[in-house]
Amino acid sequence: MIIVTGAAGFIGSCLISKLNQENFNFIIAVDDFSSPEKERNLAGKRIQERVHREDFFGWLDQNYHEVEFLFHIGARTDTTEFDWQVFEHLNLNYSKRIWQKCIDYQIPLVYASSAATYGLGELGYDDNESIIPQLKPLNPYGESKNEFDIWALEQERKPFFWAGLKFFNVYGPNEYHKARMASVIFHAYNQICQTGQMRLFRSHHPDFQDGEQMRDFVYVKDVIDVCTFLMHHRRNSGIYNLGSGKARTFLDLANNTFRAMDRESHITFVDTPADIRDKYQYYTQANMGKLRSIGYTKHFCTLEEGITDYVQNYLLPGRYL
């Protein structure tokens, strides 16, 4: 039995698909299941039982003896939400309860952290656990993820295996429901379909030209490959970066989306919205050496490979993973 929280969401539903591919069919899906849009993410997947997130801990107390692994992917991920109580409940306190249950019931744990913890990258993007207390996230979402990472590292009692994964800019199938929080590739595809062009944020930083802002974009298929690797590995507990390891520009992203759609590039620039302008990351790049050092050898998709697969095999035909 494998538990996936955030099961109806983007990464959680892709992870269930991967587990099904590996013939893990005794899946417990934990979420609130209230969104009809997210329901499509679970269509056709082999799931043993659905458990509402607010009923989960009672369920676990009754069924822990059957649980082999827990993936805690569920979280409030809206970087424009500024109500701290929302994050305190869903991202911080909920995660602490999961951690404690994994100790009590000897369940190995992989949980989702975020590259949002790095803030403007003043201390770089190395997953060195000693610098985590010094990081300065730019929004409550990043703060909630960083506070849990700090809390986890401070605990004397830990699950016998645990890993926190700092997801960088994840994109790929099953993010149809995410609206403003969907990946730039998803927005690019829809803009190109509707208008024939792509609008990118203008740079408001003297060191970056328009469209030359750089991010580490990581394909969701690579993310779930790492998750299942850790499920089988179960050694070397700690906090790990999970990006492609290669920063690319938004111009690269836009041009590759046009190319995957077999269209000529037509790119314009608009001002970055005022509500996120002073909290905008101009450069991120995951140092992936730590994950490689514990034996992860699989190739990460290049931006070209990931966008081509996403656009041609999922967005154009409207398919889900």
Side-chain angles (χ1 to χ4, degrees):
M1 182 186 285
I2 297 171
I3 296 168
V4 179
T5 74
F10 168 34
I11 297 172
S13 63
C14 289
L15 176 57
I16 292 173
S17 181
K18 172 70 173 177
L19 291 168
N20 285 169
Q21 288 172 21
E22 294 192 5
N23 291 316
F24 291 99
N25 302 319
F26 204 3
I27 307 294
I28 306 302
V30 179
D31 213 313
D32 66 6
F33 303 108
S34 62
S35 168
E37 284 183 294
K38 291 166 71 174
E39 191 62 33
R40 296 178 183 177
N41 287 343
L42 295 178
K45 292 178 173 56
R46 295 187 294 280
I47 293 168
Q48 182 72 20
E49 188 174 351
R50 297 184 182 206
V51 179
H52 192 281
R53 70 184 181 207
E54 298 302 332
D55 300 328
F56 172 60
F57 295 107
W59 180 94
L60 187 58
D61 289 338
Q62 297 295 317
N63 296 277
Y64 67 88
H65 51 281
E66 295 186 74
V67 178
E68 180 183 352
F69 206 92
L70 198 159
F71 290 102
H72 178 36
I73 309 298
R76 182 61 175 268
T77 59
D78 189 346
T79 58
T80 64
E81 170 69 70
F82 286 92
D83 183 352
W84 174 250
Q85 289 186 327
V86 171
F87 294 108
E88 188 173 42
H89 171 57
L90 292 177
N91 293 8
L92 197 54
N93 294 337
Y94 198 92
S95 299
K96 289 179 180 179
R97 290 182 71 188
I98 283 182
W99 178 276
Q100 188 59 52
K101 294 293 186 185
C102 286
I103 294 170
D104 293 344
Y105 299 140
Q106 289 292 290
I107 300 170
L109 170 68
V110 164
Y111 74 86
S113 182
S114 171
T117 57
Y118 286 117
L120 291 174
E122 301 96 333
L123 299 176
Y125 296 94
D126 293 338
D127 43 8
N128 179 344
E129 292 170 8
S130 68
I131 70 168
I132 287 175
Q134 303 166 50
L135 297 177
K136 298 176 181 177
L138 298 172
N139 50 53
Y141 164 68
E143 289 171 8
S144 69
K145 289 295 188 180
N146 202 51
E147 284 203 20
F148 182 72
D149 288 344
I150 292 169
W151 181 88
L153 292 170
E154 289 175 345
Q155 299 310 295
E156 288 188 15
R157 298 181 67 228
K158 296 177 169 65
F160 74 86
F161 170 73
W162 66 276
L165 297 176
K166 289 183 183 255
F167 296 152
F168 277 67
N169 285 71
V170 187
Y171 67 95
N174 299 18
E175 60 170 335
Y176 300 98
H177 64 281
K178 287 179 67 67
R180 186 179 179 183
M181 290 297 111
S183 72
V184 185
I185 292 119
F186 179 78
H187 289 300
Y189 172 81
N190 284 310
Q191 283 187 31
I192 294 164
C193 285
Q194 293 163 12
T195 69
Q197 64 178 1
M198 172 61 186
R199 298 190 309 275
L200 294 175
F201 287 153
R202 187 172 286 116
S203 175
H204 300 272
H205 192 298
D207 294 342
F208 293 85
Q209 297 296 312
D210 291 344
E212 296 292 335
Q213 304 97 316
M214 302 182 78
R215 295 282 179 86
D216 188 329
F217 301 101
V218 59
Y219 196 31
V220 70
K221 290 184 178 182
D222 290 328
V223 169
I224 60 180
D225 281 349
V226 171
C227 287
T228 55
F229 164 80
L230 290 168
M231 181 182 72
H232 296 301
H233 184 73
R234 301 194 190 190
R235 299 187 302 279
N236 311 106
S237 294
I239 295 175
Y240 294 88
N241 280 340
L242 184 39
S244 69
K246 177 67 174 174
R248 299 292 297 273
T249 69
F250 283 91
L251 281 172
D252 287 338
L253 180 154
N255 285 321
N256 276 294
T257 306
F258 278 106
R259 191 173 300 117
M261 296 173 71
D262 196 25
R263 298 205 190 189
E264 290 292 322
S265 292
H266 185 190
I267 299 167
T268 58
F269 296 95
V270 297
D271 286 344
T272 305
D275 64 337
I276 63 170
R277 193 175 301 174
D278 61 346
K279 304 179 186 303
Y280 186 83
Q281 293 172 309
Y282 276 80
Y283 175 87
T284 65
Q285 180 171 282
N287 181 341
M288 294 302 296
K290 188 174 176 182
L291 184 68
R292 294 297 194 191
S293 76
I294 67 167
Y296 191 79
T297 59
K298 196 165 183 178
H299 163 77
F300 282 86
C301 290
T302 65
L303 190 63
E304 288 79 2
E305 291 166 342
I307 288 178
T308 299
D309 184 56
Y310 183 24
V311 169
Q312 296 182 358
N313 295 320
Y314 298 94
L315 290 176
L316 282 168
R319 287 181 58 233
Y320 288 74
L321 181 62

